[in-house]
Amino acid sequence: RMKIDMQSANPVMRDPVAYRIKFAPHPRVGDKWCVYPSYDYTHCLVDSLEWITHSLCTLEFEIRRDSYYWLLQALDMYRPFVWEFSRLTLAHTIVSKRKLAKIVELGVVRGWDDPRMPTLSGCRRRGYTATAINKFCSTLGVKRTDSSLTEMGLLEHCIRSELDITSRRAMCVLRPLRVVIQNFPEQADDPRLACTVPNHPKNESMGTHTLSLTKTVLIEESDFRFEDSKGYYGLAPGKTAMLRYAYPIRIENVVTYDDNPKHVRELHASIDFEKSSKPKGVLHWVPEEPAARPVEVRLYNYLFKSENPAELDDPLTDLNPNSETIVNGAL
C-alpha cells in the first residue's frame, strides 16, 4: 500500500494498492513470481522507464492522474504528459474484453478474429485497412466531452471510400437463376462471345480481363419478376435488360416448377448482338460452370440488435441471430 493522503478529496490518493503478494501460479511464469503489481503502481513506472512522451487514456482514468504523478515525483523519475479523452463508442457493439471473451467461449463467434468482432484481427478479416481506420478516427477527432454513440455507417463509409479506389472488381451471383439464350451462336470461337471487362470501372491502369459469354448465364434471382412495374429495371416477361459489359437480352419464356408455378426454374431469352436497344437496367451475371467457380459467401450484419448493448444487464440476450448469413451455391 502506498498510504498517500487519507484526507485527500480524490479517493484514489488515499490508500492505493501498490502490489499484492499472491501465492498462485501466473499464466506465463508459473510459480516463479508471486508479486502482482496494481495498475496505479505499474502504469506510471512503465511509462517513465520506456520514456513515453504522452500517456493517453480515456476519461474514466482522469482521477488517477494525481497518483500517477505522485509516485513518479516520489521516486524522482521522468514524468510523461498525461492526456485523457472521451471513449469512442460504436453503435451495435461492445468493447469490454470480459464480455467479448464470454462471446468467444460460448461459441457465438468463431474466435477473436471473427469478422463480427471489434478486434483488430476481426477488422482485418472483414477487409478493413489501417489507413481507413485512421481516416475514421481522424474524421471523428478527439473530444473530452461524453461522446454519444458513433454509427457504424461512418466507419463503413471510410472503408468503402478507400476500397472503391484500390479494389479490383469481380462479378458474383449469390442466388443464381439460369438464363438460357435461345439464339446463341453455334460457333464456339465467335469473337462476340469474348467480353472485355475492366478490372476497375474508374481506373484504366488496373487493366482488363476477358469473360466468356456462354449459352446459359446466371443472374441474381431477385433480378427477375413476373410483373413489371415503374422504376423497376430488372427483367420481366417480354422485357429487355443489359448484361453488364455484354449485350441486351429479352425474356421470351419463363419455365417454372410443376409443383410450384410461382418459383422460376429457368428463363429463356434472346440476345441482341447488334445492341439495337439501350435498356436502363444493367445486370451483373456470370457464365455457367466451369467458367464460373462455386463459392461460399458470408454476409455480415451487426452483432447486437440494440444500438447500445453495453447499457443492457446481459448483452448476450441481445445478440443478432442474423449477424452472419452463409450463402452456399453462389457463383
Side-chain angles (χ1 to χ4, degrees):
R1 291 158 52 182
M2 286 186 270
K3 300 181 182 179
I4 301 175
D5 181 6
M6 291 299 293
Q7 305 303 317
S8 175
N10 185 344
V12 176
M13 289 290 288
R14 293 171 188 170
D15 191 13
V17 174
Y19 55 86
R20 294 177 177 88
I21 304 297
K22 189 175 181 181
F23 296 101
H26 190 274
R28 293 186 179 178
V29 298
D31 297 324
K32 294 180 180 180
W33 193 254
C34 63
V35 177
Y36 291 80
S38 67
Y39 174 86
D40 290 321
Y41 184 76
T42 310
H43 182 199
C44 58
L45 296 181
V46 172
D47 284 352
S48 181
L49 291 172
E50 294 184 353
W51 290 96
I52 299 297
T53 58
H54 296 77
S55 182
L56 309 179
C57 308
T58 46
L59 286 175
E60 62 264 33
F61 294 98
E62 189 170 17
I63 62 171
R64 291 182 141 71
R65 188 195 293 188
D66 292 342
S67 64
Y68 182 101
Y69 282 136
W70 180 89
L71 183 57
L72 293 179
Q73 185 174 6
L75 298 175
D76 192 25
M77 296 178 67
Y78 158 71
R79 285 172 286 177
F81 289 100
V82 177
W83 285 356
E84 296 89 5
F85 52 88
S86 60
R87 181 190 295 268
L88 169 59
T89 307
L90 281 172
H92 300 285
T93 190
I94 56 176
V95 292
S96 166
K97 291 189 289 293
R98 177 176 57 83
K99 294 177 181 178
L100 290 175
K102 192 172 183 180
I103 292 174
V104 175
E105 291 167 4
L106 293 175
V108 176
V109 294
R110 292 184 175 83
W112 288 96
D113 63 346
D114 190 290
R116 293 167 287 179
M117 292 285 281
T119 58
L120 289 178
S121 56
C123 290
R124 186 183 297 113
R125 283 197 62 196
R126 193 159 180 162
Y128 292 4
T129 62
T131 51
I133 293 175
N134 285 335
K135 180 182 177 181
F136 167 68
C137 294
S138 177
T139 301
L140 289 175
V142 179
K143 306 174 183 176
R144 279 191 52 85
T145 57
D146 289 335
S147 58
S148 57
L149 288 174
T150 301
E151 289 295 331
M152 289 288 288
L154 178 58
L155 172 59
E156 292 168 351
H157 169 73
C158 294
I159 304 300
R160 288 193 180 97
S161 297
E162 177 170 316
L163 295 183
D164 179 54
I165 300 173
T166 60
S167 297
R168 288 170 54 119
R169 303 304 201 262
M171 290 193 284
C172 177
V173 174
L174 298 182
R175 295 169 179 85
L177 175 60
R178 286 166 49 89
V179 180
V180 180
I181 301 173
Q182 295 176 315
N183 59 335
F184 194 80
E186 296 181 0
Q187 297 81 8
D189 58 349
D190 192 315
R192 296 175 298 178
L193 303 183
C195 303
T196 301
V197 179
N199 292 327
H200 194 292
K202 304 174 186 176
N203 187 351
E204 295 182 357
S205 64
M206 286 192 176
T208 62
H209 64 276
T210 300
L211 194 60
S212 298
L213 187 64
T214 52
K215 182 175 178 61
T216 299
V217 298
L218 299 113
I219 64 171
E220 283 289 353
E221 193 178 62
S222 58
D223 283 336
F224 173 80
R225 294 180 185 175
F226 280 102
E227 295 184 6
D228 195 9
S229 60
K230 185 178 180 180
Y232 170 65
Y233 298 113
L235 289 168
K239 188 177 180 181
T240 301
M242 175 72 75
L243 295 180
R244 188 178 297 275
Y245 305 120
Y247 307 94
I249 60 171
R250 184 178 187 274
I251 301 302
E252 306 294 349
N253 186 36
V254 180
V255 181
T256 60
Y257 290 93
D258 295 336
D259 57 346
N260 187 359
K262 293 185 178 181
H263 195 130
V264 180
R265 187 174 67 185
E266 67 180 29
L267 302 173
H268 293 171
S270 59
I271 192 167
D272 179 11
F273 284 110
E274 304 301 324
K275 295 186 178 181
S276 58
S277 62
K278 295 183 179 180
K280 291 183 179 180
V282 180
L283 311 180
H284 66 279
W285 59 281
V286 295
E288 63 180 340
E289 297 183 64
R293 292 178 293 178
V295 294
E296 178 186 283
V297 177
R298 298 176 184 176
L299 307 176
Y300 291 104
N301 205 330
Y302 302 135
L303 187 56
F304 295 93
K305 294 181 288 185
S306 299
E307 195 173 44
N308 192 3
E311 291 184 342
L312 303 176
D313 294 334
D314 184 8
L316 292 179
T317 61
D318 189 54
L319 287 167
N320 180 9
N322 300 316
S323 62
E324 180 186 66
T325 302
I326 298 178
V327 181
N328 292 303
L331 293 169

